[in-house]
Amino acid sequence: MRIGGGATVVRDFLKARLVAQLHVGIAPILLGRGIRLWDDLRELGSRCAVHSEVAESGILHVTFRRT
């Protein structure tokens, strides 16, 4: 199943531990205010395998896979 949405949707599914794999593209720009994706999710790195790759465009692609 693929889920799309903003930070609120992602955070709710991650907190409920319903995500097996998460791909996040991080662009090197600052847009201003918004909802922080990683607050209260610091343990995510300890329960997931993390892989990252930087594209030529400068976008950082990070993939989390539940272990």
Side-chain angles (χ1 to χ4, degrees), residues 17-36:
R17 297 182 179 228
L18 297 174
V19 178
Q21 180 176 319
L22 171 68
H23 172 258
V24 179
I26 303 169
I29 59 173
L30 179 62
L31 296 175
R33 296 170 32 164
I35 298 170
R36 296 174 51 93

Side-chain angles (χ1 to χ4, degrees), residues 6-50:
T8 302
V9 172
V10 173
R11 288 173 53 78
D12 289 345
F13 276 82
L14 287 171
K15 282 183 179 180
R17 297 182 179 228
L18 297 174
V19 178
Q21 180 176 319
L22 171 68
H23 172 258
V24 179
I26 303 169
I29 59 173
L30 179 62
L31 296 175
R33 296 170 32 164
I35 298 170
R36 296 174 51 93
L37 178 60
W38 306 116
D39 285 353
D40 303 325
L41 296 172
R42 302 207 189 285
E43 79 285 349
L44 188 61
S46 64
R47 58 184 165 122
C48 294
V50 181

